[in-house]
Amino acid sequence: MFKGVYEGKNAKHQSKRILILGESHYDKDGYNDFTTDSVVQNFYSNPGEKKYQFFHKIAKCFFENVKDIDDEFESFWNNVYLSLIHISEPTRLALI
């Protein structure tokens, strides 16, 4: 798992708290400070990059009519927690 959990600035003040779990993703260029928080901050700075579409899709599940990245953060990302889980090898799931 990436170091830490992203905590939206208003997340702990919500009456119902939301934790989003996502599988980790990789950037071929890499980041020096590759934490969950830094991934979200990079998304905020570069919302149009294809690798960040996961974040837009999750937010749209809750708020469909966001106008721009600032609106998306104010409406959604500032109010949730996010943890990205690293899976190093292919995992086989069995349904019982």
Side-chain angles (χ1 to χ4, degrees):
M1 182 158 74
F2 288 112
K3 296 177 261 178
V5 173
Y6 167 77
E7 180 180 327
K9 66 181 181 179
N10 303 319
K12 62 184 168 188
H13 303 295
Q14 302 302 309
S15 60
K16 293 184 181 180
R17 296 181 181 154
I18 298 172
L19 170 63
I20 298 164
L21 297 176
E23 184 178 343
S24 65
H25 63 297
Y26 300 91
D27 183 348
K28 66 181 178 183
D29 299 326
Y31 294 106
N32 292 330
D33 182 25
F34 207 55
T35 64
T36 302
D37 190 67
S38 69
V39 170
V40 175
Q41 295 310 317
N42 285 322
F43 157 59
Y44 182 73
S45 299
N46 306 289
E49 288 190 30
K50 185 176 180 179
K51 65 184 173 186
Y52 295 122
Q53 291 307 303
F54 163 81
F55 296 96
H56 291 301
K57 290 176 184 178
I58 294 297
K60 285 179 77 174
C61 290
F62 292 85
F63 295 98
E64 196 170 312
N65 298 319
V66 292
K67 293 176 263 179
D68 55 28
I69 191 65
D70 291 321
D71 187 33
E72 184 173 321
F73 261 77
E74 190 60 37
S75 300
F76 185 70
W77 291 108
N78 286 341
N79 301 308
V80 300
Y81 299 89
L82 171 69
S83 181
L84 299 175
I85 300 169
H86 172 72
I87 300 174
S88 59
E89 295 184 24
T91 304
R92 189 180 283 187
L93 298 176
L95 298 176
I96 300 175

